Amino acid sequence: MSFELSFDVIFVGGGPASLAGALHLKRLAKTDPKLSGMTVAVIEKAPNLGDHSLSGAALDPRALAELMPDWRSRDIPFGTKVSRERLWYLTRNHHIPAPLVPPPMSNHGKYIISLAEFVRWLGGHCEAEGVEIFSGEAVDELIQDERGAVIGVRIKGKGCDKEGKQKSNYLPPTDIGARIVVLGEGARGHLTRRLVESQGLDEHCLPQGYAVGIKELWEVDPKHFREGTIVNTMGHPLDAKTFGGSFIYHLRDRHVAAGLVVSLDWKDPRTYPYELFQRWKAHPAIRPLFESGRMLSYGARTIAEGGFYCIPRTYGDGFLIIGESAGFLNAMKLKGIDLAMKSGMLAAETAIDALRVDDCSAAKLSVYDERVRGSWMAKGLKLARNFHQGFHGGLIGGMINASLGILTGGRGLHDRIPVPSDADCTKELSQVKAHKEPPFVPDDKVTFDRTTCVFASGTKHEEDQPCHILVDDTSICNGRCKQEYGNPCQFFCPAGVFEMVEEADGVTRLHLNPSNCVHCKTCDIKDPYKIVTWVPPEGGGGPNYKGM
């Protein structure tokens, strides 16, 4: 097959895993005269690197120190070093401080950063080393040969209307060849998902477990600002059956990042993470921090926190899988940036060994799996291997399992705890109790509606492009789902993409607002009928995260 353009290695996704891998690969190539001309590309769907990058984020600099031993002397966009930590348990009206922060939750020695700004900084170093970065380009599918080996990627075309007809600014899809494609799309990557399904890469794995994280960036009153402080909370507004927690990170310049993370294995179809986050901000112990401040930005993303037993095979003919696309995240610490970077670097070392002998087969690339299992990554993943699944039955059982896991090297109550997929966890309305909470009414000072927050995310899409939220059968949404689950999509989406609207004939039907989408992919995971599929919109669309 002939290609319009080809590279030795293509990294799909412009996050920390791909950028660390691409930078490491170019540096390794320069030490080998035979490979000094190696071509490496990073393809990112956001308009600019970092625009779609979102995390808490507290960075463990371990992988960064390996990538850049002199990192302390560089102009790195760190927010601040963690200087103080607190853990609170929230009741409805009070907070109970923990006497100490458990070691697995400690952020001692870490740095509070903006992942978006860190990614932009790392991308600059990649370009300086000769990595070619293509932003604003969405990879639509992988190109495979007759044997199933990955030999390239197809860039999604631009300039079609909702019916798929070409407009005057139409650009056709572009096929780009590669000897190795490295998938670093983040959690629930659409290319990774298809590849895992088609090649059975997760045959012996537990279903990946996800959480949705919702975050806001605030500028707060100086009297409430404590640079370097981290406060984590548990409890209210989550009930004892819903696993999750919140964070408050004091960066610098009076900027505070605040967010709520909720595991997607919840049972009640009316669980509404966005509203839970707003209610959390209104708690008497939390509200004073924001009351005299202003919200700067908003975002949401899913987190692959299933852990060690959910990681699929991460290699095959012509491909490697890195970062959260593979599920490399420590659920006990809820940290993954360091693991993502390290996995990208190990993929780079594997790729260059394969290219030296011109052998990019699965047998040759399987060394990547050995490298991962022999690195410091594996130790943390194994210690947290049953953490997420232990909370499937509720907070009390999860805390017991987590405590025993610390004492037993990660085993806990039972090793390899079997759990269903997040979609299969949702119960029908008839199986859950009715809500007793009063209606949520935003005050537009501390709490807001979704429309306001989506605007604050900077999200933009071409309004008339083909919809990138695919629903296989809307009659299920308008009929069975309404009766059985109450249309949970209108609650679980943090951007209001799904609406049930009463039409002129008096019938309530599903309406989609894909232009609101912040690319979190919760819909692709949590829909109980598994009929919703997220695919990338035209490149260049989506959120625009600054300082997030």
PDB file of all heavy atoms in Angstrom, residues 118-148:
ATOM      1  N   PHE A 118       1.972  21.848  31.289  1.00  0.00           N
ATOM      2  CA  PHE A 118       3.107  20.921  31.297  1.00  0.00           C
ATOM      3  C   PHE A 118       3.248  20.236  29.937  1.00  0.00           C
ATOM      4  O   PHE A 118       4.364  20.070  29.416  1.00  0.00           O
ATOM      5  CB  PHE A 118       2.910  19.884  32.404  1.00  0.00           C
ATOM      6  CG  PHE A 118       4.025  18.875  32.502  1.00  0.00           C
ATOM      7  CD1 PHE A 118       5.274  19.242  32.981  1.00  0.00           C
ATOM      8  CD2 PHE A 118       3.816  17.557  32.117  1.00  0.00           C
ATOM      9  CE1 PHE A 118       6.299  18.320  33.076  1.00  0.00           C
ATOM     10  CE2 PHE A 118       4.832  16.619  32.209  1.00  0.00           C
ATOM     11  CZ  PHE A 118       6.076  16.999  32.691  1.00  0.00           C
ATOM     12  N   VAL A 119       2.119  19.837  29.350  1.00  0.00           N
ATOM     13  CA  VAL A 119       2.129  19.189  28.041  1.00  0.00           C
ATOM     14  C   VAL A 119       2.664  20.151  26.976  1.00  0.00           C
ATOM     15  O   VAL A 119       3.447  19.761  26.102  1.00  0.00           O
ATOM     16  CB  VAL A 119       0.721  18.675  27.683  1.00  0.00           C
ATOM     17  CG1 VAL A 119       0.579  18.401  26.199  1.00  0.00           C
ATOM     18  CG2 VAL A 119       0.413  17.408  28.476  1.00  0.00           C
ATOM     19  N   ARG A 120       2.242  21.402  27.035  1.00  0.00           N
ATOM     20  CA  ARG A 120       2.737  22.382  26.062  1.00  0.00           C
ATOM     21  C   ARG A 120       4.255  22.550  26.192  1.00  0.00           C
ATOM     22  O   ARG A 120       4.972  22.655  25.187  1.00  0.00           O
ATOM     23  CB  ARG A 120       2.021  23.726  26.258  1.00  0.00           C
ATOM     24  CG  ARG A 120       0.540  23.665  25.900  1.00  0.00           C
ATOM     25  CD  ARG A 120      -0.131  25.036  26.001  1.00  0.00           C
ATOM     26  NE  ARG A 120      -1.551  24.905  25.711  1.00  0.00           N
ATOM     27  CZ  ARG A 120      -2.524  24.901  26.617  1.00  0.00           C
ATOM     28  NH1 ARG A 120      -2.235  25.071  27.894  1.00  0.00           N
ATOM     29  NH2 ARG A 120      -3.785  24.746  26.262  1.00  0.00           N
ATOM     30  N   TRP A 121       4.725  22.590  27.407  1.00  0.00           N
ATOM     31  CA  TRP A 121       6.167  22.731  27.651  1.00  0.00           C
ATOM     32  C   TRP A 121       6.920  21.512  27.131  1.00  0.00           C
ATOM     33  O   TRP A 121       7.950  21.648  26.454  1.00  0.00           O
ATOM     34  CB  TRP A 121       6.385  22.901  29.159  1.00  0.00           C
ATOM     35  CG  TRP A 121       7.809  22.894  29.591  1.00  0.00           C
ATOM     36  CD1 TRP A 121       8.689  23.946  29.593  1.00  0.00           C
ATOM     37  CD2 TRP A 121       8.549  21.760  30.081  1.00  0.00           C
ATOM     38  NE1 TRP A 121       9.909  23.540  30.066  1.00  0.00           N
ATOM     39  CE2 TRP A 121       9.860  22.216  30.375  1.00  0.00           C
ATOM     40  CE3 TRP A 121       8.209  20.426  30.313  1.00  0.00           C
ATOM     41  CZ2 TRP A 121      10.838  21.360  30.871  1.00  0.00           C
ATOM     42  CZ3 TRP A 121       9.195  19.576  30.796  1.00  0.00           C
ATOM     43  CH2 TRP A 121      10.487  20.046  31.077  1.00  0.00           C
ATOM     44  N   LEU A 122       6.411  20.318  27.401  1.00  0.00           N
ATOM     45  CA  LEU A 122       7.065  19.100  26.957  1.00  0.00           C
ATOM     46  C   LEU A 122       7.055  19.016  25.426  1.00  0.00           C
ATOM     47  O   LEU A 122       8.035  18.578  24.810  1.00  0.00           O
ATOM     48  CB  LEU A 122       6.354  17.890  27.566  1.00  0.00           C
ATOM     49  CG  LEU A 122       7.085  16.548  27.582  1.00  0.00           C
ATOM     50  CD1 LEU A 122       8.441  16.669  28.261  1.00  0.00           C
ATOM     51  CD2 LEU A 122       6.221  15.496  28.269  1.00  0.00           C
ATOM     52  N   GLY A 123       5.947  19.472  24.815  1.00  0.00           N
ATOM     53  CA  GLY A 123       5.867  19.484  23.362  1.00  0.00           C
ATOM     54  C   GLY A 123       6.913  20.385  22.732  1.00  0.00           C
ATOM     55  O   GLY A 123       7.447  20.072  21.658  1.00  0.00           O
ATOM     56  N   GLY A 124       7.205  21.490  23.381  1.00  0.00           N
ATOM     57  CA  GLY A 124       8.242  22.387  22.874  1.00  0.00           C
ATOM     58  C   GLY A 124       9.605  21.707  22.816  1.00  0.00           C
ATOM     59  O   GLY A 124      10.373  21.903  21.859  1.00  0.00           O
ATOM     60  N   HIS A 125       9.926  20.894  23.823  1.00  0.00           N
ATOM     61  CA  HIS A 125      11.188  20.157  23.828  1.00  0.00           C
ATOM     62  C   HIS A 125      11.198  19.097  22.736  1.00  0.00           C
ATOM     63  O   HIS A 125      12.247  18.842  22.128  1.00  0.00           O
ATOM     64  CB  HIS A 125      11.420  19.527  25.199  1.00  0.00           C
ATOM     65  CG  HIS A 125      11.872  20.506  26.243  1.00  0.00           C
ATOM     66  ND1 HIS A 125      13.185  20.882  26.387  1.00  0.00           N
ATOM     67  CD2 HIS A 125      11.169  21.216  27.158  1.00  0.00           C
ATOM     68  CE1 HIS A 125      13.290  21.768  27.368  1.00  0.00           C
ATOM     69  NE2 HIS A 125      12.076  21.998  27.851  1.00  0.00           N
ATOM     70  N   CYS A 126      10.045  18.477  22.482  1.00  0.00           N
ATOM     71  CA  CYS A 126       9.963  17.487  21.407  1.00  0.00           C
ATOM     72  C   CYS A 126      10.265  18.131  20.060  1.00  0.00           C
ATOM     73  O   CYS A 126      11.051  17.588  19.266  1.00  0.00           O
ATOM     74  CB  CYS A 126       8.561  16.867  21.372  1.00  0.00           C
ATOM     75  SG  CYS A 126       8.223  15.686  22.697  1.00  0.00           S
ATOM     76  N   GLU A 127       9.667  19.264  19.798  1.00  0.00           N
ATOM     77  CA  GLU A 127       9.902  19.948  18.521  1.00  0.00           C
ATOM     78  C   GLU A 127      11.362  20.363  18.385  1.00  0.00           C
ATOM     79  O   GLU A 127      11.943  20.283  17.288  1.00  0.00           O
ATOM     80  CB  GLU A 127       8.977  21.150  18.405  1.00  0.00           C
ATOM     81  CG  GLU A 127       7.512  20.770  18.218  1.00  0.00           C
ATOM     82  CD  GLU A 127       6.606  21.972  18.064  1.00  0.00           C
ATOM     83  OE1 GLU A 127       6.652  22.865  18.947  1.00  0.00           O
ATOM     84  OE2 GLU A 127       5.863  22.017  17.071  1.00  0.00           O
ATOM     85  N   ALA A 128      11.966  20.806  19.492  1.00  0.00           N
ATOM     86  CA  ALA A 128      13.373  21.215  19.447  1.00  0.00           C
ATOM     87  C   ALA A 128      14.296  20.050  19.126  1.00  0.00           C
ATOM     88  O   ALA A 128      15.379  20.243  18.567  1.00  0.00           O
ATOM     89  CB  ALA A 128      13.767  21.838  20.791  1.00  0.00           C
ATOM     90  N   GLU A 129      13.854  18.822  19.453  1.00  0.00           N
ATOM     91  CA  GLU A 129      14.666  17.631  19.190  1.00  0.00           C
ATOM     92  C   GLU A 129      14.346  16.996  17.842  1.00  0.00           C
ATOM     93  O   GLU A 129      14.912  15.956  17.491  1.00  0.00           O
ATOM     94  CB  GLU A 129      14.444  16.597  20.309  1.00  0.00           C
ATOM     95  CG  GLU A 129      14.880  17.059  21.687  1.00  0.00           C
ATOM     96  CD  GLU A 129      16.378  16.874  21.917  1.00  0.00           C
ATOM     97  OE1 GLU A 129      17.052  16.301  21.036  1.00  0.00           O
ATOM     98  OE2 GLU A 129      16.865  17.298  22.984  1.00  0.00           O
ATOM     99  N   GLY A 130      13.399  17.581  17.089  1.00  0.00           N
ATOM    100  CA  GLY A 130      13.107  17.068  15.759  1.00  0.00           C
ATOM    101  C   GLY A 130      11.870  16.224  15.631  1.00  0.00           C
ATOM    102  O   GLY A 130      11.613  15.648  14.559  1.00  0.00           O
ATOM    103  N   VAL A 131      11.072  16.119  16.689  1.00  0.00           N
ATOM    104  CA  VAL A 131       9.799  15.403  16.591  1.00  0.00           C
ATOM    105  C   VAL A 131       8.822  16.273  15.803  1.00  0.00           C
ATOM    106  O   VAL A 131       8.695  17.471  16.080  1.00  0.00           O
ATOM    107  CB  VAL A 131       9.215  15.098  17.989  1.00  0.00           C
ATOM    108  CG1 VAL A 131       7.833  14.444  17.872  1.00  0.00           C
ATOM    109  CG2 VAL A 131      10.164  14.214  18.793  1.00  0.00           C
ATOM    110  N   GLU A 132       8.136  15.687  14.839  1.00  0.00           N
ATOM    111  CA  GLU A 132       7.144  16.431  14.069  1.00  0.00           C
ATOM    112  C   GLU A 132       5.783  16.293  14.750  1.00  0.00           C
ATOM    113  O   GLU A 132       5.313  15.174  14.970  1.00  0.00           O
ATOM    114  CB  GLU A 132       7.086  15.929  12.626  1.00  0.00           C
ATOM    115  CG  GLU A 132       8.384  16.170  11.864  1.00  0.00           C
ATOM    116  CD  GLU A 132       8.234  15.955  10.379  1.00  0.00           C
ATOM    117  OE1 GLU A 132       7.320  16.547   9.772  1.00  0.00           O
ATOM    118  OE2 GLU A 132       9.026  15.173   9.830  1.00  0.00           O
ATOM    119  N   ILE A 133       5.178  17.426  15.079  1.00  0.00           N
ATOM    120  CA  ILE A 133       3.901  17.422  15.795  1.00  0.00           C
ATOM    121  C   ILE A 133       2.820  17.971  14.884  1.00  0.00           C
ATOM    122  O   ILE A 133       2.939  19.065  14.336  1.00  0.00           O
ATOM    123  CB  ILE A 133       4.009  18.237  17.094  1.00  0.00           C
ATOM    124  CG1 ILE A 133       4.995  17.547  18.049  1.00  0.00           C
ATOM    125  CG2 ILE A 133       2.630  18.389  17.747  1.00  0.00           C
ATOM    126  CD1 ILE A 133       5.219  18.261  19.345  1.00  0.00           C
ATOM    127  N   PHE A 134       1.760  17.176  14.742  1.00  0.00           N
ATOM    128  CA  PHE A 134       0.603  17.577  13.943  1.00  0.00           C
ATOM    129  C   PHE A 134      -0.584  17.730  14.884  1.00  0.00           C
ATOM    130  O   PHE A 134      -1.106  16.743  15.399  1.00  0.00           O
ATOM    131  CB  PHE A 134       0.295  16.522  12.871  1.00  0.00           C
ATOM    132  CG  PHE A 134       1.418  16.291  11.903  1.00  0.00           C
ATOM    133  CD1 PHE A 134       2.408  15.356  12.167  1.00  0.00           C
ATOM    134  CD2 PHE A 134       1.491  17.016  10.720  1.00  0.00           C
ATOM    135  CE1 PHE A 134       3.445  15.139  11.278  1.00  0.00           C
ATOM    136  CE2 PHE A 134       2.523  16.813   9.816  1.00  0.00           C
ATOM    137  CZ  PHE A 134       3.502  15.867  10.100  1.00  0.00           C
ATOM    138  N   SER A 135      -0.993  18.952  15.141  1.00  0.00           N
ATOM    139  CA  SER A 135      -2.156  19.179  16.008  1.00  0.00           C
ATOM    140  C   SER A 135      -3.355  19.554  15.152  1.00  0.00           C
ATOM    141  O   SER A 135      -3.218  19.931  13.986  1.00  0.00           O
ATOM    142  CB  SER A 135      -1.860  20.283  17.028  1.00  0.00           C
ATOM    143  OG  SER A 135      -1.487  21.482  16.372  1.00  0.00           O
ATOM    144  N   GLY A 136      -4.538  19.415  15.743  1.00  0.00           N
ATOM    145  CA  GLY A 136      -5.761  19.700  15.005  1.00  0.00           C
ATOM    146  C   GLY A 136      -6.108  18.619  14.000  1.00  0.00           C
ATOM    147  O   GLY A 136      -6.885  18.859  13.071  1.00  0.00           O
ATOM    148  N   GLU A 137      -5.532  17.418  14.180  1.00  0.00           N
ATOM    149  CA  GLU A 137      -5.778  16.307  13.252  1.00  0.00           C
ATOM    150  C   GLU A 137      -6.260  15.095  14.047  1.00  0.00           C
ATOM    151  O   GLU A 137      -5.546  14.604  14.930  1.00  0.00           O
ATOM    152  CB  GLU A 137      -4.509  15.944  12.476  1.00  0.00           C
ATOM    153  CG  GLU A 137      -3.900  17.092  11.691  1.00  0.00           C
ATOM    154  CD  GLU A 137      -4.749  17.512  10.495  1.00  0.00           C
ATOM    155  OE1 GLU A 137      -5.710  16.806  10.168  1.00  0.00           O
ATOM    156  OE2 GLU A 137      -4.436  18.563   9.896  1.00  0.00           O
ATOM    157  N   ALA A 138      -7.447  14.617  13.730  1.00  0.00           N
ATOM    158  CA  ALA A 138      -8.016  13.471  14.437  1.00  0.00           C
ATOM    159  C   ALA A 138      -7.738  12.188  13.667  1.00  0.00           C
ATOM    160  O   ALA A 138      -8.067  12.084  12.477  1.00  0.00           O
ATOM    161  CB  ALA A 138      -9.522  13.647  14.608  1.00  0.00           C
ATOM    162  N   VAL A 139      -7.129  11.217  14.333  1.00  0.00           N
ATOM    163  CA  VAL A 139      -6.920   9.911  13.699  1.00  0.00           C
ATOM    164  C   VAL A 139      -8.222   9.135  13.780  1.00  0.00           C
ATOM    165  O   VAL A 139      -8.729   8.847  14.868  1.00  0.00           O
ATOM    166  CB  VAL A 139      -5.778   9.137  14.379  1.00  0.00           C
ATOM    167  CG1 VAL A 139      -5.627   7.756  13.747  1.00  0.00           C
ATOM    168  CG2 VAL A 139      -4.465   9.913  14.269  1.00  0.00           C
ATOM    169  N   ASP A 140      -8.765   8.793  12.621  1.00  0.00           N
ATOM    170  CA  ASP A 140     -10.076   8.147  12.539  1.00  0.00           C
ATOM    171  C   ASP A 140      -9.995   6.638  12.696  1.00  0.00           C
ATOM    172  O   ASP A 140     -10.871   6.012  13.287  1.00  0.00           O
ATOM    173  CB  ASP A 140     -10.727   8.498  11.203  1.00  0.00           C
ATOM    174  CG  ASP A 140     -12.232   8.343  11.231  1.00  0.00           C
ATOM    175  OD1 ASP A 140     -12.809   8.459  12.323  1.00  0.00           O
ATOM    176  OD2 ASP A 140     -12.826   8.100  10.166  1.00  0.00           O
ATOM    177  N   GLU A 141      -8.940   6.045  12.136  1.00  0.00           N
ATOM    178  CA  GLU A 141      -8.804   4.591  12.228  1.00  0.00           C
ATOM    179  C   GLU A 141      -7.362   4.181  11.975  1.00  0.00           C
ATOM    180  O   GLU A 141      -6.545   4.953  11.456  1.00  0.00           O
ATOM    181  CB  GLU A 141      -9.725   3.892  11.235  1.00  0.00           C
ATOM    182  CG  GLU A 141      -9.498   4.249   9.784  1.00  0.00           C
ATOM    183  CD  GLU A 141     -10.489   3.560   8.874  1.00  0.00           C
ATOM    184  OE1 GLU A 141     -10.525   2.313   8.890  1.00  0.00           O
ATOM    185  OE2 GLU A 141     -11.219   4.261   8.152  1.00  0.00           O
ATOM    186  N   LEU A 142      -7.062   2.951  12.381  1.00  0.00           N
ATOM    187  CA  LEU A 142      -5.761   2.359  12.114  1.00  0.00           C
ATOM    188  C   LEU A 142      -5.812   1.645  10.767  1.00  0.00           C
ATOM    189  O   LEU A 142      -6.836   1.056  10.409  1.00  0.00           O
ATOM    190  CB  LEU A 142      -5.388   1.362  13.212  1.00  0.00           C
ATOM    191  CG  LEU A 142      -5.230   1.931  14.623  1.00  0.00           C
ATOM    192  CD1 LEU A 142      -5.004   0.806  15.627  1.00  0.00           C
ATOM    193  CD2 LEU A 142      -4.085   2.929  14.689  1.00  0.00           C
ATOM    194  N   ILE A 143      -4.715   1.698  10.036  1.00  0.00           N
ATOM    195  CA  ILE A 143      -4.618   0.974   8.766  1.00  0.00           C
ATOM    196  C   ILE A 143      -3.850  -0.321   9.029  1.00  0.00           C
ATOM    197  O   ILE A 143      -2.757  -0.300   9.603  1.00  0.00           O
ATOM    198  CB  ILE A 143      -3.904   1.823   7.706  1.00  0.00           C
ATOM    199  CG1 ILE A 143      -4.671   3.133   7.476  1.00  0.00           C
ATOM    200  CG2 ILE A 143      -3.778   1.048   6.405  1.00  0.00           C
ATOM    201  CD1 ILE A 143      -3.959   4.105   6.565  1.00  0.00           C
ATOM    202  N   GLN A 144      -4.439  -1.447   8.621  1.00  0.00           N
ATOM    203  CA  GLN A 144      -3.840  -2.755   8.847  1.00  0.00           C
ATOM    204  C   GLN A 144      -3.680  -3.502   7.527  1.00  0.00           C
ATOM    205  O   GLN A 144      -4.473  -3.317   6.598  1.00  0.00           O
ATOM    206  CB  GLN A 144      -4.690  -3.566   9.829  1.00  0.00           C
ATOM    207  CG  GLN A 144      -4.781  -2.920  11.220  1.00  0.00           C
ATOM    208  CD  GLN A 144      -5.794  -3.606  12.113  1.00  0.00           C
ATOM    209  OE1 GLN A 144      -6.936  -3.178  12.207  1.00  0.00           O
ATOM    210  NE2 GLN A 144      -5.377  -4.676  12.762  1.00  0.00           N
ATOM    211  N   ASP A 145      -2.669  -4.352   7.465  1.00  0.00           N
ATOM    212  CA  ASP A 145      -2.481  -5.148   6.255  1.00  0.00           C
ATOM    213  C   ASP A 145      -3.317  -6.417   6.333  1.00  0.00           C
ATOM    214  O   ASP A 145      -4.100  -6.619   7.262  1.00  0.00           O
ATOM    215  CB  ASP A 145      -1.000  -5.438   6.016  1.00  0.00           C
ATOM    216  CG  ASP A 145      -0.377  -6.307   7.111  1.00  0.00           C
ATOM    217  OD1 ASP A 145      -1.119  -6.907   7.913  1.00  0.00           O
ATOM    218  OD2 ASP A 145       0.867  -6.386   7.160  1.00  0.00           O
ATOM    219  N   GLU A 146      -3.138  -7.293   5.357  1.00  0.00           N
ATOM    220  CA  GLU A 146      -3.966  -8.505   5.284  1.00  0.00           C
ATOM    221  C   GLU A 146      -3.737  -9.443   6.461  1.00  0.00           C
ATOM    222  O   GLU A 146      -4.586 -10.286   6.778  1.00  0.00           O
ATOM    223  CB  GLU A 146      -3.695  -9.236   3.962  1.00  0.00           C
ATOM    224  CG  GLU A 146      -2.287  -9.792   3.779  1.00  0.00           C
ATOM    225  CD  GLU A 146      -1.293  -8.719   3.342  1.00  0.00           C
ATOM    226  OE1 GLU A 146      -1.711  -7.571   3.083  1.00  0.00           O
ATOM    227  OE2 GLU A 146      -0.077  -9.030   3.263  1.00  0.00           O
ATOM    228  N   ARG A 147      -2.596  -9.289   7.154  1.00  0.00           N
ATOM    229  CA  ARG A 147      -2.321 -10.120   8.326  1.00  0.00           C
ATOM    230  C   ARG A 147      -2.859  -9.513   9.618  1.00  0.00           C
ATOM    231  O   ARG A 147      -2.789 -10.145  10.669  1.00  0.00           O
ATOM    232  CB  ARG A 147      -0.811 -10.325   8.474  1.00  0.00           C
ATOM    233  CG  ARG A 147      -0.143 -11.026   7.314  1.00  0.00           C
ATOM    234  CD  ARG A 147       1.364 -11.162   7.533  1.00  0.00           C
ATOM    235  NE  ARG A 147       2.029  -9.865   7.647  1.00  0.00           N
ATOM    236  CZ  ARG A 147       2.493  -9.355   8.771  1.00  0.00           C
ATOM    237  NH1 ARG A 147       2.371 -10.017   9.906  1.00  0.00           N
ATOM    238  NH2 ARG A 147       3.104  -8.180   8.787  1.00  0.00           N
ATOM    239  N   GLY A 148      -3.344  -8.288   9.540  1.00  0.00           N
ATOM    240  CA  GLY A 148      -3.823  -7.608  10.731  1.00  0.00           C
ATOM    241  C   GLY A 148      -2.778  -6.739  11.388  1.00  0.00           C
ATOM    242  O   GLY A 148      -3.052  -6.117  12.425  1.00  0.00           O
TER     243      GLY A 148
END
